[in-house]
């Protein structure tokens, strides 16, 4: 039911324009009495990003501001969908630059020290989807910060975490300004040293 609602709202946004939905999305994402409403609001924004692609750019700052409220959500389902939504917005607006995400990036980074497991992995993926939008100097700095977290995650002996590590490393390595030699010398040996004996989870 929630999934159908999200798709319907994204179709409405495509037909009538995103501004018509912004008040409803804001109200949903700020509903303190219903995590289902917050989840539906964020998921709808994600669907809008996927459906509209680069046409979402004129509304990017508003949409980022709306879902930014949910980055510190107490509900794990909302915690998971929010960084995934940011990733979708970043992918849809790759040519728009980093400025529209500036308001949430610090919160996104701070959340990595509070999250664990899948939630942490999703936050790292979101950060790495934003890093390529930065200038080379800032991209290199934040990619290095992410690597420091990955070194700790590499030691976690579960398949899903290692899958996240590989995905995040791939994103970082494709970013301009990132020192590939650092990854080869510091990260990859540590990754392979801790990969033995891990079993894929179900």
């Amino acid at each position: 039911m929630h999934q159908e609602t999200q798709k319907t709202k994204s179709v409405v946004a495509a037909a009538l324009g995103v501004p018509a939905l912004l008040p409803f999305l804001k109200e949903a994402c700020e509903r303190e009495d219903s995590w289902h409403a917050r989840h539906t609001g964020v998921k709808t924004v994600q669907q809008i990003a996927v459906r509209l692609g680069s046409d979402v750019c004129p509304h990017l700052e508003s949409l980022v501001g709306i879902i930014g409220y949910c980055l510190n959500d107490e509900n794990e389902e909302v915690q998971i969908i929010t960084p995934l939504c940011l990733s979708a917005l970043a992918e849809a607006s790759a040519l728009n630059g980093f400025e529209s995400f500036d308001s949430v990036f610090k919160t996104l980074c701070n959340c990595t020290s509070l999250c664990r497991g899948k939630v942490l992995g999703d936050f790292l993926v979101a950060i790495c989807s934003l890093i390529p939008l930065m200038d080379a100097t800032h991209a290199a700095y934040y990619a290095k910060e992410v690597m420091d977290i990955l070194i700790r995650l590499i030691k976690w002996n579960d398949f899903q975490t290692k899958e996240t590590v590989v995905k995040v490393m791939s994103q970082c390595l494709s970013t301009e300004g990132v020192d590939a030699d650092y990854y080869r010398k510091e990260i990859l040996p540590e990754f392979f040293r801790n990969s033995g004996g891990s079993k894929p989870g179900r």
Side-chain angles (χ1 to χ4, degrees):
M1 182 65 178
H2 291 297
Q3 187 172 8
E4 291 303 316
T5 302
Q6 297 146 14
K7 289 182 178 179
T8 299
K9 287 183 177 179
S10 68
V11 170
V12 171
L16 300 181
V18 174
L21 267 186
L22 289 178
F24 303 99
L25 292 172
K26 186 175 189 297
E27 182 181 357
C29 290
E30 294 181 1
R31 278 277 301 274
E32 295 183 0
D33 61 336
S34 173
W35 75 264
H36 288 287
R38 299 194 300 275
H39 186 276
T40 298
V42 177
K43 185 69 176 178
T44 301
V45 174
Q46 184 188 38
Q47 293 285 337
I48 289 172
V50 172
R51 182 173 291 273
L52 296 186
S54 60
D55 288 340
V56 80
C57 288
H59 319 289
L60 194 57
E61 192 167 340
S62 296
L63 292 172
V64 169
I66 286 171
I67 67 169
Y69 183 85
C70 297
L71 280 172
N72 288 311
D73 204 276
E74 61 186 17
N75 180 272
E76 188 174 273
E77 295 297 321
V78 181
Q79 285 180 346
I80 289 172
I81 192 60
T82 305
L84 294 179
C85 181
L86 284 172
S87 295
L89 287 170
E91 184 175 343
S93 60
L95 299 178
N96 198 64
F98 177 75
E99 290 74 16
S100 297
F101 297 93
D102 192 49
S103 62
V104 298
F105 189 74
K106 184 177 180 180
T107 302
L108 197 60
C109 292
N110 289 342
C111 285
T112 61
S113 64
L114 304 173
C115 299
R116 296 291 184 271
K118 176 170 172 49
V119 178
L120 175 57
D122 290 333
F123 271 88
L124 289 175
V125 170
I127 290 171
C128 285
S129 69
L130 296 178
I131 286 175
L133 306 183
M134 301 175 179
D135 61 76
T137 301
H138 284 90
Y141 172 80
Y142 283 108
K144 176 64 168 57
E145 292 289 299
V146 169
M147 284 303 104
D148 290 342
I149 299 173
L150 286 187
I151 289 175
R152 298 200 303 270
L153 285 183
I154 285 171
K155 298 176 182 178
W156 291 21
N157 196 31
D158 71 273
F159 182 74
Q160 188 177 52
T161 299
K162 293 189 185 300
E163 218 175 18
T164 299
V165 169
V166 171
K167 183 175 183 178
V168 172
M169 280 198 298
S170 299
Q171 285 179 301
C172 287
L173 283 169
S174 63
T175 301
E176 182 183 358
V178 169
D179 182 5
D181 283 339
Y182 169 78
Y183 290 83
R184 283 193 288 267
K185 294 176 181 176
E186 302 294 332
I187 305 299
L188 288 181
E190 190 72 19
F191 176 78
F192 287 114
R193 186 160 45 246
N194 286 277
S195 292
S198 62
K199 297 179 180 180
R202 294 186 181 275

